Amino acid sequence: MEKELCTITEKLKDVPEGSCINIRHPLGRADIITTASSESVPDSVRLKSETFELYPGIELSFHCYLADHFRIHHNHGVSVLSIDHCRAGRIGWEMKGGLSLYFGNGDLSFHYTDKCSDSDITLPLGYYEGLSVALDLPVLQESLPELLRDAGVDVRDLCVKFCGKQETAALPASSRIEHIFSEVYDLPEQMKLPYLKLKCQELLMFLNMAEPAGENVLDPHYSEQVSLIRQIHDRMTEHPEKRYTIDELAKEYLINTAALKSIFKSVYGMPVAAYMKRYRITKAAGLLRNSNESIASIARAVGYESQSKFSAAFKDIMKILPTDYRRQYT
């Protein structure tokens, strides 16, 4: 996680805090660069998107975000399908109809853009890198690229197959999805446009042949449930020295234990126990670097009464003992 965060921070070094930069490369026209100021973007947020118009009706956008939460508005029509791939971090949309959809590393999501034309975006890990392919269905009905037409791709059939009645869905990471996107994010400038055209067609042909994952589809949840899970998350992370049980949290927040565990994993990408272990150790690493507190004191501050158990957990996550970790920074 720290390595991903450092990579994204480096990619956003030209974006001031409280700013959103959008770069657009239209077909046959000059590039367009727009910047939203802190009047519409929270002070702590740094956002950057770069959009390539590949064909009439098909756009591909790269996104790099540092934020906890922000709101977006866009003007896509009601018949535009967005296919989103997450490279790093996690992202969640609160969409029309009260649905929230979260996905993370390697996952692929689908939704109609009118569902998120005005939506709240949450980044549970504080960062996100990914891309989206926008398909304008009426345009593509008239001017589908020749290769896709020869392959028998019907974009409306893809919408029905992957979005269904809920109009939003996500497929979990797989080796086939990884194969398509593995080389897309760090292309040389002169190769970007032709390579993205190739990869976009490969993606649509793959989806045309693929079958929905059935039970493995990542389910959307209602926003009220997600809001409750975020409250539980904040409660636990504000007091890492305390050890809450699933049962006591479920009783206090009036949610059944199965739903708590399922929705927490959907939002934050890990089971509760695994997430809190990583959170505690990450916080402890910061204290080891930036304070003179004893290791025993730091262990207690993040919920470990036993220094030996803390050291074992620290080595499991950081691959180094806390004593050796601190020595690196002194």
Side-chain angles (χ1 to χ4, degrees):
M1 289 171 60
E2 287 190 33
K3 184 178 179 181
E4 290 180 343
L5 180 57
C6 289
T7 299
I8 291 171
T9 301
E10 175 65 20
K11 289 186 176 184
L12 289 171
K13 63 183 179 182
D14 60 336
V15 181
E17 287 192 353
S19 295
C20 172
I21 294 178
N22 291 290
I23 304 168
R24 185 173 182 82
H25 307 281
L27 275 173
R29 289 179 287 147
D31 293 349
I32 302 168
I33 301 175
T34 58
T35 302
S37 69
S38 57
E39 295 177 2
S40 56
V41 180
D43 290 342
S44 59
V45 169
R46 296 162 68 189
L47 314 174
K48 185 176 184 178
S49 294
E50 184 173 15
T51 300
F52 294 84
E53 189 175 345
L54 304 181
Y55 303 97
I58 302 180
E59 296 179 352
L60 187 148
S61 302
F62 293 101
H63 308 290
C64 220
Y65 303 150
L66 278 177
D68 292 319
H69 178 270
F70 59 95
R71 188 168 183 82
I72 63 164
H73 171 78
H74 59 73
N75 297 312
H76 279 306
V78 296
S79 296
V80 175
L81 177 70
S82 181
I83 304 171
D84 293 82
H85 176 259
C86 174
R87 184 192 198 188
R90 291 189 72 76
I91 189 168
W93 277 282
E94 292 185 13
M95 301 183 181
K96 291 180 181 177
L99 284 179
S100 292
L101 179 66
Y102 284 77
F103 64 103
N105 293 45
D107 296 338
L108 201 62
S109 84
F110 308 81
H111 67 273
Y112 289 107
T113 54
D114 67 312
K115 292 292 177 184
C116 67
S117 55
D118 282 291
S119 61
D120 289 313
I121 301 293
T122 299
L123 308 183
L125 304 181
Y127 63 89
Y128 171 78
E129 183 181 12
L131 65 78
S132 58
V133 177
L135 306 177
D136 191 321
L137 307 186
V139 173
L140 292 174
Q141 287 291 102
E142 300 296 326
S143 59
L144 194 68
E146 183 179 0
L147 189 60
L148 296 177
R149 191 168 57 248
D150 291 344
V153 173
D154 186 315
V155 288
R156 291 194 181 273
D157 285 348
L158 293 182
C159 295
V160 173
K161 181 161 67 171
F162 289 98
C163 287
K165 294 180 180 179
Q166 285 187 315
E167 299 183 327
T168 182
L171 299 180
S174 70
S175 58
R176 297 184 72 185
I177 293 173
E178 173 64 18
H179 169 74
I180 293 172
F181 293 104
S182 59
E183 298 175 342
V184 166
Y185 286 92
D186 299 303
L187 294 168
E189 283 300 320
Q190 69 272 19
M191 290 294 294
K192 274 188 178 178
L193 190 58
Y195 202 90
L196 293 177
K197 286 183 174 183
L198 177 67
K199 280 295 183 178
C200 183
Q201 293 190 83
E202 181 185 359
L203 170 65
L204 295 181
M205 285 190 280
F206 159 70
L207 294 175
N208 192 55
M209 294 184 292
E211 290 300 324
E215 294 180 0
N216 291 324
V217 170
L218 304 177
D219 290 327
H221 302 283
Y222 284 100
S223 298
E224 293 85 354
Q225 297 172 305
V226 172
S227 176
L228 205 60
I229 293 302
R230 291 212 299 264
Q231 291 176 43
I232 292 170
H233 166 273
D234 292 348
R235 172 80 168 277
M236 292 189 295
T237 55
E238 284 169 9
H239 300 283
E241 75 283 2
K242 296 183 179 180
R243 295 277 180 166
Y244 298 97
T245 68
I246 296 293
D247 285 341
E248 68 180 294
L249 289 168
K251 287 178 182 177
E252 182 174 348
Y253 288 89
L254 303 178
I255 182 173
N256 74 56
T257 57
L260 192 161
K261 290 188 284 188
S262 171
I263 300 171
F264 190 100
K265 185 176 181 181
S266 175
V267 172
Y268 293 99
M270 301 180 199
V272 177
Y275 180 91
M276 285 307 299
K277 179 179 178 180
R278 183 172 291 275
Y279 180 86
R280 287 186 168 99
I281 297 306
T282 301
K283 185 173 181 65
L287 292 171
L288 287 167
R289 292 193 306 269
N290 302 312
S291 80
N292 294 319
E293 292 184 55
S294 69
I295 291 177
S297 175
I298 290 173
R300 288 193 297 273
V302 296
Y304 289 89
E305 290 300 323
S306 164
Q307 187 173 330
S308 62
K309 288 184 178 179
F310 169 70
S311 293
F314 194 95
K315 186 173 183 180
D316 184 44
I317 297 296
M318 304 298 290
K319 310 306 178 188
I320 187 174
L321 287 169
T323 48
D324 296 330
Y325 183 86
R326 170 168 267 177
R327 196 173 296 120
Q328 290 182 348
Y329 291 92
T330 56

